[in-house]
Amino acid sequence: MQQPPAQLLDALLNAIANLPPVQIVKAEVALATARRRAEAVVEIDTVGLARGCPHCGSAQRSSWGSTRAGAQRWRCKDCEWTWTGRTGSPLSRIHRPGLFIEVVRNMLDPDEEPLSCRRLGRRLAKDLRAGISLDAALAKVPEADGSDLWIVGLDILGRQPFGRPASFASEAPGEAERELVAALATRILAWNRASPQRARDYHLEYAAELRAALGDRDGAIEALREMSRRDLPSHMRLSGRSVELVQVAGPDAVLALANPSDRTFPTLLLRAGSAEQDPAKAAEHLAKAFGIHARRSPWPNFNLMLRVVEAAADRGLAQESRAFADRMVELAESYADAPFGVFHRLDAAEALHLADAATEEVSRQIALAVSQFPENSSEIVATGLVSGPTRWKSSGLADEARGRVAAISAEIGDHENAVRMLGRLSEPLTQWLYLTDKDLAVATLDVLHEAVWRLLPPEDAAYVTGQLARTLVLHERTFAQKKWTLRIARELVADPDALRARSGLVATEPRRVCRRLICLSYAAMSDFSRSA
């Protein structure tokens, strides 16, 4: 028979008193974690009690069990909708609300130095680099899961998540670092088998990616093969998260483990096309991926077709990329009257640019897209079953479309049209930032730099300029672009007060940021000089 809680507590306290010091430390960590989670559940339940049904607003409810985290679940007696205190809140998609609430409290506590989410995420990596064993480091962060170990592993290897190499890595990882990353991959596999809460089935691809980063083909395939045996939802199955993973494991081996009916299969084909050494087989993989996106119902997925065009162009498959782009133009014409047909035209225009089509062809698609802009800014351009009517301006679509037109126009050298569209934005900062990721000629950069200071408030102009300079430094750009970056960084340092914190965008310590830009610019220029 189960003991009363009071007796269980007494027994627990007596047991703790007899524990050795090392186990007492582990017990303190476990207790702190349990307390944090319990406090989060209490706060979630308090919110749930104070509100009605988030679906229909009714106050008539009944208890309906609890979530896996222990929070109370409610069921509406009128519409039969179920909800918790997290439903419809910023915490609704947070997997670890206890940790999130702790971070927010830390940021708001006037007596503590704010501990950012990035610093929390790097705590484990710091301990491991300091020589602390993996078990001891994990005991200090019991909330860590497979995705955290993946990020830590890439960080130790001098990389950033999502397959992109880190810029200006100081040196190649040594044998100790490689052994540590291998241990992290092994721990993800072990957690998946023994503690699914800490490493879910889709985390197995994280382990495979770490193995691939070490050049361990057999280990990568082992993790992928184990993942293929799991009963995962279609959208969470094997997707070949990075090109490197598919390269190391081998495109044929990875595709053999995948199910062509999975929603992630076209993405896997795209990765295989980018990783395949044989140009003919690469073109075949990309053509299959493009065909799947083109046949999608109720209309083609233009955004993903554009990614295929970009991959074909990056591989030097000029004929295939141009054929894909021409097909996108045909489909954009066929679906011009579909919801968001304007963006189909813009995707087709960008595809033509990526495929090295003539400027006139790209400009024609841009003109056709602009001609489809609704004259009435309040016009309903789409209606969703859940979201309801979507209006052209208030939804942000008008700004997004003009920003896309400006970006493509800037890329093809149509400065006048780019500046004209940017000048018509109602919320310009977001669309200006979209331009910072484009590969622009120096002449275009000069035109946009002049326009941004003319059209935006000084603090916004400084922020956009800083982001553009940072992007140029951290990506593979030309020597002339990086020389331009150095000049812009010096201008920002000369007026650091222009770069300051604003609502929704935080830019702190402007002088340090700008000086960092100059250091990165010098490093980039030195790299170019040595390679030349």
Side-chain angles (χ1 to χ4, degrees):
M1 190 172 77
Q2 188 175 7
Q3 291 180 312
Q7 294 182 13
L8 286 174
L9 178 60
D10 291 338
L12 178 61
L13 293 175
N14 290 332
I16 291 177
N18 296 320
L19 290 176
V22 174
Q23 293 184 355
I24 289 177
V25 172
K26 291 184 178 180
E28 289 176 347
V29 172
L31 185 59
T33 302
R35 178 179 177 180
R36 182 172 63 230
R37 291 174 177 169
E39 289 176 348
V41 169
V42 170
E43 295 194 31
I44 291 170
D45 287 347
T46 301
V47 173
L49 284 169
R51 66 190 297 194
C53 173
H55 184 62
C56 70
S58 173
Q60 303 298 317
R61 77 179 94 189
S62 60
S63 299
W64 198 256
S66 60
T67 67
R68 187 166 53 185
Q72 176 66 55
R73 182 183 286 112
W74 306 96
R75 184 171 188 260
C76 179
K77 292 184 178 180
D78 292 334
C79 69
E80 299 185 350
W81 190 275
T82 61
W83 81 93
T84 70
R86 294 172 62 184
T87 305
S89 74
L91 291 178
S92 60
R93 296 185 181 275
I94 299 294
H95 294 293
R96 292 179 284 173
L99 179 60
F100 179 84
I101 291 173
E102 179 190 36
V103 172
V104 173
R105 285 174 175 165
N106 176 267
M107 289 180 174
L108 297 178
D109 191 338
D111 297 325
E112 289 190 31
E113 179 185 357
L115 189 62
S116 69
C117 293
R118 176 174 293 184
R119 287 175 60 194
L120 278 174
R122 291 182 175 178
R123 179 185 295 172
L124 180 57
K126 180 180 178 181
D127 287 345
L128 293 174
R129 284 196 174 99
I132 298 177
S133 69
L134 180 57
D135 287 334
L138 289 174
K140 296 171 63 176
V141 282
E143 68 276 3
D145 62 15
S147 61
D148 296 312
L149 298 193
W150 169 66
I151 292 174
V152 170
L154 294 181
D155 185 78
I156 291 173
L157 292 174
R159 302 183 178 209
Q160 296 179 6
F162 312 111
R164 187 176 66 178
S167 301
F168 308 117
S170 57
E171 57 184 13
E175 189 61 31
E177 287 84 0
R178 294 175 61 84
E179 290 178 0
L180 183 55
V181 173
L184 292 171
T186 301
R187 184 59 58 94
I188 294 175
L189 290 169
W191 277 354
N192 177 265
R193 295 162 182 159
S195 180
Q197 293 78 15
R198 300 194 75 171
R200 303 180 187 279
D201 288 340
Y202 65 88
H203 287 175
L204 290 170
E205 196 161 352
Y206 295 145
E209 188 169 340
L210 292 180
R211 294 287 192 184
L214 297 172
D216 181 3
R217 181 176 185 271
D218 292 339
I221 292 178
E222 176 192 359
L224 294 178
R225 185 175 290 117
E226 188 160 344
M227 182 180 179
S228 68
R229 301 191 191 106
R230 306 302 171 88
D231 185 20
L232 286 168
S234 177
H235 67 283
M236 295 172 62
R237 294 176 188 167
L238 179 60
S239 62
R241 294 168 40 81
S242 73
V243 173
E244 182 183 45
L245 170 57
V246 182
Q247 282 178 331
V248 172
D252 292 337
V254 174
L255 290 174
L257 295 172
N259 186 340
S261 63
D262 291 345
R263 286 174 54 185
T264 57
F265 190 68
T267 302
L268 188 57
L269 286 170
L270 177 64
R271 300 282 190 268
S274 300
E276 179 58 61
Q277 298 298 316
D278 183 355
K281 293 182 69 174
E284 181 182 350
H285 295 323
L286 294 175
K288 288 181 180 179
F290 187 90
I292 294 173
H293 298 316
R295 293 189 298 270
R296 184 175 173 180
S297 178
W299 50 76
N301 191 320
F302 283 82
N303 183 262
L304 295 181
M305 286 192 293
L306 181 61
R307 290 177 58 189
V308 177
V309 175
E310 183 177 12
D314 289 343
R315 283 298 311 268
L317 301 173
Q319 184 176 350
E320 286 77 9
S321 64
R322 181 57 198 259
F324 296 153
D326 289 340
R327 179 57 179 155
M328 286 184 66
V329 171
E330 296 173 2
L331 291 170
E333 181 68 34
S334 300
Y335 290 91
D337 296 330
F340 314 115
V342 169
F343 295 97
H344 299 163
R345 294 280 195 193
L346 293 175
D347 285 333
E350 192 162 353
L352 287 172
H353 172 63
L354 291 171
D356 288 331
T359 300
E360 292 76 15
E361 295 181 76
V362 181
S363 298
R364 181 174 182 275
Q365 291 302 313
I366 292 175
L368 288 172
V370 173
S371 69
Q372 291 182 227
F373 285 11
E375 295 182 3
N376 182 359
S377 61
S378 299
E379 181 175 328
I380 297 175
V381 294
T383 302
L385 294 176
V386 178
S387 59
T390 301
R391 301 187 183 276
W392 175 243
K393 183 177 180 180
S394 61
S395 65
L397 291 176
D399 272 2
E400 183 179 350
R402 291 190 176 98
R404 288 283 306 278
V405 170
I408 302 171
S409 297
E411 287 182 300
I412 64 175
D414 188 353
H415 303 155
E416 182 180 352
N417 194 40
V419 174
R420 180 170 59 251
M421 285 294 167
L422 291 169
R424 296 177 181 176
L425 299 172
S426 56
E427 297 290 340
L429 185 57
T430 301
Q431 297 306 321
W432 272 103
L433 289 174
Y434 178 72
L435 280 170
T436 62
D437 199 35
K438 300 298 179 182
D439 187 6
L440 303 174
V442 171
T444 302
L445 291 172
D446 284 333
V447 172
L448 294 177
H449 181 242
E450 184 277 330
V452 71
W453 285 95
R454 176 165 46 84
L455 296 173
L456 296 184
E459 63 271 20
D460 288 350
Y463 185 76
V464 171
T465 303
Q467 289 298 308
L468 177 57
R470 179 179 179 275
T471 301
L472 288 174
V473 166
L474 295 179
H475 290 75
E476 293 298 327
R477 301 299 194 224
T478 66
F479 179 80
Q481 287 172 320
K482 295 190 175 184
K483 187 176 180 180
W484 181 90
T485 300
L486 181 59
R487 174 169 62 85
I488 295 304
R490 283 173 170 161
E491 292 178 3
L492 287 176
V493 172
D495 186 17
D497 291 336
L499 194 62
R500 59 179 179 269
R502 298 173 307 283
S503 175
L505 288 169
V506 179
T508 58
E509 301 182 60
R511 188 179 296 276
R512 180 182 60 82
V513 171
C514 295
R515 284 177 175 170
R516 175 62 176 161
L517 283 174
I518 288 183
C519 292
L520 289 173
S521 298
Y522 275 126
M525 293 172 68
S526 298
D527 289 344
F528 269 82
S529 299
R530 285 195 298 268
S531 62

